[in-house]
Amino acid sequence: MKSEKIGVAIVGYGNIGRYALEAIKASPDCELRGVVRRNPNDVPEELRSYSVVASLEQLSNVDVALLASPTRLVEQAARKALELGISTVDSFDIHGEIVSLRRSLDEVAKKTGRVAITAAGWDPGSDSVVRILMQAMVPQGITYTNFGPGMSMGHSVAAKSIPGVKDALSMTIPLGTSVHRRIVYVELEEGYDPDQVSASIKSDPYFVHDETHVIAVKCVADLKDVGHGVVMSRKGVSGCTHNQMLDFSMRINNPALTSQILVACARAATRLSPGCYTLPEIAPIDLLPGDREEWISKLV
Amino acid sequence: MKSEKIGVAIVGYGNIGRYALEAIKASPDCELRGVVRRNPNDVPEELRSYSVVASLEQLSNVDVALLASPTRLVEQAARKALELGISTVDSFDIHGEIVSLRRSLDEVAKKTGRVAITAAGWDPGSDSVVRILMQAMVPQGITYTNFGPGMSMGHSVAAKSIPGVKDALSMTIPLGTSVHRRIVYVELEEGYDPDQVSASIKSDPYFVHDETHVIAVKCVADLKDVGHGVVMSRKGVSGCTHNQMLDFSMRINNPALTSQILVACARAATRLSPGCYTLPEIAPIDLLPGDREEWISKLV
C-alpha cells in the first residue's frame, strides 16, 4: 500500500459532487485536493476548508478527478483531465454510447499514461459487474433488470423540457421481466392544459415505449426522494444443467451509492495500466483500500 | 480473440469432473484434450472419444488443467501441472488456507510463466466476488452469508467418518444472519446405537458449534440431491449515508455451477499475467468468451 494518500478532485458540485465529498472523507486512503465548479466564488459551508477553483489545472497534487458533471459533458472533461496528466472516473450513463466513449478515452489515456474509468455508477456500473458475473456462471438464459421504485434523473429532465412543465419527477416502477411503468408528477406553468401536457409527455421518445401516467401536482419538490433500487434475475443453464437461478437486488440512496463507487474507482485507477475501463474490466479487489491478502483472508 | 480453441484437461473424474466435461462441451472456445484419472482403464461411455490417461504429461496441447480432485490434493496437482507449463484452475474450498495456497502457487506460476486460479467455485468463488463488490459499494456494515438448503460435502464426509456410520448426508439449513442448522441423515452399521452415533456426530469439530440434528434412515442415497443455494445480505453505509441494502441469492445445481465457473476461469487463465489469482482478483469480463466490446455494448 502506498503510504501517501490518493489525491482526488471533484469536478462539478451538484448532487453527486456533494455525496462524493462525503465518500472521500470516509475513505481511509483518499484525500480531497479541491473542487472545480463553474462559479468558484460559490463556496458552501462544507467546502470552506478546501480549494474551490474554476479549472482543474489550478489544483495541485491531483491523482484522480471524479467527474461529477452531467453525462453530456463527461467526454470533454475527461479528455481535458487526462491531457493534464490526471486520471479520471466518470458516471457516464448512456448505455448505447459507452463503447465509443471508452474508445475515445482509451486513446487519450494511453497517450498520456493515465487511467480513465467510465460508466462507473450502479447502472451502468456495479449492476454491469453482476450481469457479467451472472453471464459467466450461467452462460445460456435470460437476465431481467428491473429498476425502482425510484426517481429517474434522465426521464425527469426529459419531462421537465416539455412546454408547460415547470418541474417534473419521473418515478420508475418495476413491473417485472424488465418492463417498467413511468409515473410522472408534474408542476404546470400557468395557462397550460394538463391533458395537452400529458399527451406531449407520453409521445416523447423517453416515454413512448412504456406505460406512462402523468399526474399534475402543486409541488414536485415535496415528492422528491433519492432512494432507488434494482432487482436483477437470471435463470438459465450451466454446462447442460437447466434451471439455475440467480438474483441480485438492492434498495439504496442513489447519489450516495454512485459517489461511493466513484471513490472506489478512483482507488482502482491508481492500480491499473494506462487505458480506459468499464467496471467489469476491473478486478473487484482493486476497488478496496489496503492490503490484498487481508481482503482475501476475510472475504474470499 | 485467439482463433484456436483453448485446450483443456480434466484432472480427476468424480462429480465435478463429469459436470466439467459438459461445461467444456458447451463452451464455444474450449476443447477437451483429455482426462487424467487414477485408473485410466476405467473409461465410461461419455469419455470413449477422448484420451483418458494416468498422468497429465501423457496429454498434448493442454493450455489449462481443471483440477477436479479433492481439495487436499489440489496443491500437489497444481504444482505439478504448472511445472509442466500448464496453467491450472482449482476449486480449493478451505477458506482459512486460501492465502497460503495462493502464495505457494503464485511462486511456481511466476517461475514457469503460467497462471493458477485458485478457490474457483461458488463459495469461495463467485460469492467472494459479490462480497468484495458489496464491500466496495457499502464500505461500512455487516455482510451475512446464508447457505442452503443444500448438501454440505465437507460435513457429509465428516459424519461418514464417525464409527458406526455407513453413509451420511449433512444438509445445511440457513437460519439467517449467517447461523445454520445441520440435519445429518445417517445410515448405521449393524450393532451401533443411534443415540451414541448421534452424540459422536454432535461433538465432532465440524458440528459442535451448530444446532445439529441426527436422523437415522434406511437409505441415505435415496435422499441425495445436489441442489444448493445461498443468500448474501449486506446493510451498511455508503459515504455517510446509512441503510444501504444489498442482496444476492441463488438456487442452483452445485456441481454444475462449480464446473461452469472452472471453465470460465480456464478462459480467464489464458488472458492473465503469470501468477496465482482468486476470483475477485480477475476482471469479470475476462470470464466471458469472445470480444470484450461486444459484451460491453450488451451487458455494461
Side-chain angles (χ1 to χ4, degrees):
Chain A
M1 200 193 169
K2 295 204 299 182
S3 61
E4 215 173 293
K5 293 199 175 186
I6 301 164
V8 181
I10 298 173
V11 178
Y13 197 68
N15 213 11
I16 299 290
R18 267 173 267 272
Y19 279 95
L21 170 66
E22 296 180 351
I24 292 165
K25 284 162 85 175
S27 294
D29 56 346
C30 294
E31 200 166 70
L32 184 65
R33 298 279 153 82
V35 174
V36 180
R37 62 186 317 194
R38 255 173 311 177
N39 178 3
N41 300 316
D42 178 6
V43 181
E45 183 58 37
E46 74 274 13
L47 290 185
R48 291 280 153 84
S49 55
Y50 300 102
S51 305
V52 179
V53 299
S55 184
L56 196 51
E57 55 264 53
Q58 296 172 259
L59 298 175
S60 44
N61 299 317
V62 176
D63 301 303
V64 189
L66 302 187
L67 307 179
S69 23
T71 269
R72 285 289 171 206
L73 303 179
V74 158
E75 181 165 5
Q76 195 196 332
R79 297 183 74 99
K80 187 185 160 181
L82 293 167
E83 274 157 12
L84 289 170
I86 294 170
S87 293
T88 62
V89 182
D90 68 69
S91 58
F92 184 84
D93 65 356
I94 306 169
H95 288 264
E97 299 177 15
I98 293 171
V99 168
S100 73
L101 176 61
R102 177 176 165 277
R103 279 191 198 170
S104 148
L105 297 186
D106 192 58
E107 203 191 310
V108 195
K110 280 180 176 148
K111 211 180 329 178
T112 62
R114 290 300 179 274
V115 170
I117 301 181
T118 194
W122 57 271
D123 205 315
S126 49
D127 280 3
S128 320
V129 173
V130 174
R131 278 192 292 267
I132 296 250
L133 183 66
M134 286 181 166
Q135 178 75 35
M137 296 162 76
V138 175
Q140 185 179 318
I142 298 169
T143 301
Y144 293 115
T145 300
N146 305 293
F147 295 110
M151 178 180 174
S152 165
M153 299 291 183
H155 288 80
S156 298
V157 169
K160 211 173 153 177
S161 73
I162 301 283
V165 178
K166 205 156 93 188
D167 200 2
L169 160 63
S170 178
M171 291 293 290
T172 306
I173 311 297
L175 302 181
T177 58
S178 305
V179 176
H180 297 92
R181 176 187 297 144
R182 311 274 170 197
I183 305 197
V184 190
Y185 298 90
V186 290
E187 214 174 300
L188 294 177
E189 277 167 7
E190 210 132 323
Y192 279 85
D193 173 30
D195 291 344
Q196 178 61 49
V197 168
S198 172
S200 305
I201 290 174
K202 288 178 185 178
S203 62
D204 184 274
Y206 262 85
F207 296 95
V208 74
H209 300 295
D210 296 330
E211 177 197 325
T212 300
H213 304 258
V214 179
I215 299 172
V217 296
K218 281 243 166 106
C219 176
V220 160
D222 286 353
L223 307 181
K224 279 187 184 166
D225 158 52
V226 294
H228 216 310
V230 77
V231 175
M232 285 188 284
S233 297
R234 183 167 180 82
K235 184 165 72 63
V237 186
S238 306
C240 63
T241 301
H242 290 244
N243 207 31
Q244 303 282 78
M245 290 183 283
L246 316 176
D247 283 279
F248 177 85
S249 64
M250 59 182 191
R251 297 292 314 145
I252 44 87
N253 174 312
N254 183 352
L257 179 59
T258 301
S259 303
Q260 183 65 64
I261 292 173
L262 288 174
V263 172
C265 287
R267 178 180 296 132
T270 66
R271 296 165 168 170
L272 292 161
S273 317
C276 181
Y277 302 78
T278 57
L279 260 174
E281 297 174 87
I282 300 170
I285 208 164
D286 281 339
L287 299 169
L288 298 181
D291 180 58
R292 202 176 253 224
E293 279 195 353
E294 229 167 87
W295 289 116
I296 293 172
S297 76
K298 239 169 108 172
L299 294 181
V300 170
Chain B
M1 202 194 167
K2 295 203 299 181
S3 61
E4 216 174 290
K5 292 198 176 185
I6 301 164
V8 180
I10 298 172
V11 178
Y13 198 66
N15 214 10
I16 299 289
R18 267 173 266 272
Y19 279 95
L21 170 66
E22 296 179 351
I24 292 165
K25 284 162 86 175
S27 294
D29 56 345
C30 294
E31 199 167 71
L32 183 64
R33 298 278 153 82
V35 174
V36 179
R37 63 186 315 194
R38 255 174 308 177
N39 178 2
N41 300 316
D42 178 7
V43 181
E45 183 58 37
E46 74 273 14
L47 291 184
R48 291 281 153 83
S49 55
Y50 299 102
S51 304
V52 179
V53 299
S55 184
L56 197 51
E57 55 264 52
Q58 296 172 260
L59 297 175
S60 45
N61 299 317
V62 176
D63 301 303
V64 188
L66 302 188
L67 308 179
S69 23
T71 268
R72 286 287 170 208
L73 304 179
V74 157
E75 181 165 6
Q76 195 195 332
R79 297 184 74 98
K80 188 184 159 181
L82 292 167
E83 275 157 11
L84 288 170
I86 294 169
S87 292
T88 62
V89 182
D90 69 69
S91 58
F92 185 83
D93 66 356
I94 306 169
H95 288 265
E97 299 178 15
I98 293 171
V99 167
S100 73
L101 177 61
R102 176 175 166 278
R103 278 190 199 171
S104 147
L105 298 186
D106 192 59
E107 202 191 312
V108 195
K110 281 181 175 147
K111 212 180 325 179
T112 62
R114 290 299 178 274
V115 170
I117 300 180
T118 194
W122 57 270
D123 204 313
S126 50
D127 281 2
S128 320
V129 173
V130 174
R131 278 192 292 266
I132 296 250
L133 183 66
M134 285 180 167
Q135 178 76 36
M137 295 161 77
V138 175
Q140 185 179 318
I142 299 169
T143 300
Y144 294 113
T145 300
N146 305 292
F147 295 110
M151 178 182 175
S152 165
M153 299 294 182
H155 288 80
S156 298
V157 169
K160 212 172 153 178
S161 72
I162 301 283
V165 178
K166 205 156 92 190
D167 200 2
L169 161 63
S170 179
M171 290 292 291
T172 306
I173 311 296
L175 302 181
T177 58
S178 305
V179 176
H180 297 91
R181 175 187 297 143
R182 312 272 171 200
I183 305 196
V184 190
Y185 298 90
V186 290
E187 214 174 299
L188 294 178
E189 277 166 9
E190 210 133 323
Y192 279 86
D193 173 29
D195 290 343
Q196 178 60 50
V197 167
S198 171
S200 305
I201 290 174
K202 288 178 184 177
S203 63
D204 184 274
Y206 262 86
F207 296 95
V208 74
H209 299 295
D210 297 330
E211 177 196 326
T212 300
H213 304 257
V214 179
I215 299 172
V217 297
K218 281 241 167 104
C219 176
V220 160
D222 286 353
L223 308 181
K224 280 189 183 164
D225 158 52
V226 295
H228 217 310
V230 76
V231 175
M232 286 188 284
S233 296
R234 183 168 180 81
K235 184 165 72 65
V237 186
S238 306
C240 63
T241 301
H242 289 243
N243 207 30
Q244 303 282 78
M245 290 183 285
L246 316 177
D247 283 280
F248 178 85
S249 65
M250 59 182 191
R251 297 291 315 145
I252 44 88
N253 174 312
N254 183 351
L257 179 59
T258 301
S259 304
Q260 183 65 63
I261 291 173
L262 288 174
V263 171
C265 286
R267 178 179 297 133
T270 66
R271 296 166 168 168
L272 292 162
S273 317
C276 181
Y277 302 79
T278 57
L279 259 175
E281 298 175 88
I282 300 170
I285 209 164
D286 281 338
L287 300 169
L288 299 181
D291 180 57
R292 201 176 253 223
E293 279 194 354
E294 230 168 85
W295 289 117
I296 293 173
S297 76
K298 241 170 109 174
L299 294 182
V300 171

